[in-house]
Amino acid sequence: MTYLVQLVIILLLTKLGAHVSNLLKFPSVIGELLVGVLAGPAVLHLLAPTTFIQYFSEFGVIILMFIAGLEGDLGLLMRYWRPALTVATLGVIFPTASAAALCIFVFNFQWTTAIFIGLVLSATSVSISVQVLKEMHRLNSREGAIILGAAVADDIMCVILLGVCVGLFGSGASASNQSLPLMLFTKLLFFAAMFVLGKWFVPRFLQFFSKLTASENETTAALILCFGFAALAVALGMSDVLGAYFAGLAISETKFKDKLALKIEPIGYAVFIPVFFVSIGLNISFAGMQGDLAFIIALIVIAVLGKQIGGALGARLFHLDWPAANIVGAGMISRGEMALVVANVALSSHLIDQNHYTAMIIVTVVTTIIAPFVLKIFIQQSDKQKANSMKLNEVKQ
């Protein structure tokens, strides 16, 4: 019954943590993330990463990104694809180059190791940012569209760079099994499959299920599409959350959108999504990190500033004002599953050792916890500037 006790503790503490966070005017996700840190191995040892929590958290992030797609606006995403691509490119270049330079010139790493550490910092996961954008009603804004589009492009760039670097510098099975042309082909196949399935299969599939006489037909159909698209994404070498996001986006173009959003959100937010947020904090452990403390702090600073500056400059190139550009930059700060994938590949290819791998996990988790704070600050600044501008216009009139 241990897993039931774990689930009870997580659900109880996340709701209390979210409540306290809201009272302090922070996004509720902050409280849920900190529950993982405080209740986990870092502090109280009430919870520990287990297979059960891992699987539940995987469902949580898949459903979270499915909901983001379900509430998304495909037209808005297509409209801002150019700034999204620019934001993604600069958001990869700035942290990767800065981290590699730091490792080579300050900490005297081999340049191959330095490049892989930089690559870990290039990856973005917007799962946390999506939650903050939803809470602050910015998910379907111009900034939200650019952040989501940039995250997709960022994922592809990171995979391509990973394949190139492992092929050139790696050793062992991980290197020998990588084929860059094959990787590129599967990525293109993924997007072709998402387009074809989203346009022609998804509406017909939902229509068919809506005519069945069983209970909750359409909700079940939506979950089948969510998990099916996620599985297809993994099979084609992409992140499962990317597949789930596109499944939601495809449904958002159908007449079932509003009804399904009301059905899916309670499933996700009542059980699975809180476990995902807690699982991030559970990966934090302060044991044995004293010797790498300076290295970890320096990487955290670069990880935050690299994405913030790169993303904001990319947005400014397309004439967003600084408050809006800073929101875009902050939305790209969070790291997640892709960073962990890069770190795992680097470890298995003998390009980083176990100590540096642990340091990268800590950097990934800490930046993910920092990201919602930074994003909320910039959203509040933007809202304040808009309010002041409106007052000024009223005075002039």
Side-chain angles (χ1 to χ4, degrees):
M1 295 296 107
T2 305
Y3 65 94
L4 293 177
V5 176
Q6 289 176 335
L7 189 57
V8 167
I9 291 172
I10 290 172
L11 295 181
L12 176 63
L13 293 183
T14 50
K15 293 309 168 188
L16 293 175
H19 175 69
V20 172
S21 189
N22 288 330
L23 289 178
L24 297 173
K25 306 299 182 184
F26 294 136
S28 60
V29 66
I30 293 293
E32 295 174 345
L33 288 168
L34 291 178
V35 162
V37 177
L38 296 174
V43 184
L44 298 176
H45 300 277
L46 293 176
L47 298 167
T50 63
T51 303
F52 168 74
I53 291 177
Q54 178 188 342
Y55 285 143
F56 246 65
S57 66
E58 195 66 28
F59 279 120
V61 69
I62 288 171
I63 293 173
L64 176 62
M65 291 308 292
F66 178 65
I67 292 170
L70 198 58
E71 297 180 353
D73 186 331
L74 183 59
L76 198 64
L77 278 173
M78 296 302 294
R79 180 180 173 187
Y80 291 111
W81 72 268
R82 287 186 182 87
L85 183 59
T86 305
V87 166
T89 303
L90 293 180
V92 167
I93 291 172
F94 272 70
T96 303
S98 302
L102 176 83
C103 291
I104 293 169
F105 298 113
V106 178
F107 293 100
N108 300 314
F109 282 36
Q110 291 185 348
W111 64 277
T112 50
T113 302
I115 288 173
F116 263 87
I117 289 174
L119 266 184
V120 173
L121 299 191
S122 73
T124 293
S125 174
V126 294
S127 307
I128 306 298
S129 298
V130 160
Q131 179 64 14
V132 178
L133 291 168
K134 274 173 58 65
E135 286 185 24
M136 304 194 76
H137 310 292
R138 289 294 189 104
L139 189 59
N140 283 326
S141 65
R142 173 183 55 175
E143 298 92 327
I146 293 173
I147 289 169
L148 287 166
V152 173
D154 185 293
D155 213 20
I156 299 167
M157 288 180 196
C158 194
V159 166
I160 292 171
L161 290 171
L162 177 63
V164 171
C165 290
V166 169
L168 291 174
F169 313 125
S171 62
S174 296
S176 61
N177 289 336
Q178 300 293 324
S179 168
L180 184 58
L182 181 61
M183 287 175 69
L184 290 174
F185 173 74
T186 56
K187 304 302 171 279
L188 292 173
L189 183 61
F190 167 77
F191 285 105
M194 291 298 104
F195 176 77
V196 172
L197 292 173
K199 191 168 181 63
W200 286 287
F201 175 73
V202 168
R204 289 167 176 79
F205 186 77
L206 290 171
Q207 191 66 41
F208 169 75
F209 261 74
S210 70
K211 295 177 181 178
L212 300 181
T213 56
S215 62
E216 296 297 343
N217 302 326
E218 292 151 2
T219 307
T220 302
L223 290 173
I224 290 170
L225 291 170
C226 169
F227 298 132
F229 274 48
L232 178 61
V234 173
L236 295 176
M238 300 297 283
S239 170
D240 49 11
V241 298
L242 205 54
Y245 175 72
F246 278 114
L249 204 58
I251 295 174
S252 76
E253 296 295 299
T254 71
K255 65 180 181 180
F256 301 97
K257 171 183 177 176
D258 294 332
K259 182 178 180 181
L260 288 174
L262 292 174
K263 297 281 189 178
I264 301 296
E265 284 201 17
I267 295 172
Y269 284 103
V271 184
F272 295 101
I273 294 173
V275 179
F276 162 63
F277 291 138
V278 167
S279 71
I280 294 172
L282 293 181
N283 286 312
I284 282 281
S285 176
F286 302 121
M289 62 176 284
Q290 291 85 354
D292 289 327
L293 193 58
F295 174 64
I296 290 170
I297 291 173
L299 283 184
I300 290 171
V301 171
I302 284 176
V304 173
L305 293 182
K307 284 292 184 182
Q308 178 65 52
I309 295 170
L313 287 178
R316 282 288 292 160
L317 290 174
F318 287 85
H319 311 296
L320 273 72
D321 58 23
W322 274 115
N326 282 327
I327 291 172
V328 172
M332 302 297 291
I333 289 173
S334 178
R335 304 318 198 267
E337 61 284 338
M338 195 61 203
L340 301 179
V341 167
V342 176
N344 276 315
V345 171
L347 182 66
S348 61
S349 298
H350 310 294
L351 290 162
I352 61 174
D353 59 27
Q354 187 63 48
N355 286 339
H356 293 133
Y357 174 77
T358 302
M360 297 314 300
I361 299 300
I362 292 171
V363 171
T364 298
V365 175
V366 171
T367 53
T368 300
I369 292 172
I370 290 172
F373 285 105
V374 181
L375 182 55
K376 181 175 182 181
I377 288 169
F378 284 124
I379 290 176
Q380 288 176 330
Q381 286 182 354
S382 176
D383 290 343
K384 186 176 180 180
Q385 186 186 59
K386 286 180 181 178
N388 291 337
S389 296
M390 290 176 63
K391 288 180 181 178
L392 189 61
N393 289 333
E394 289 174 1
V395 169
K396 287 181 178 178
Q397 291 175 359

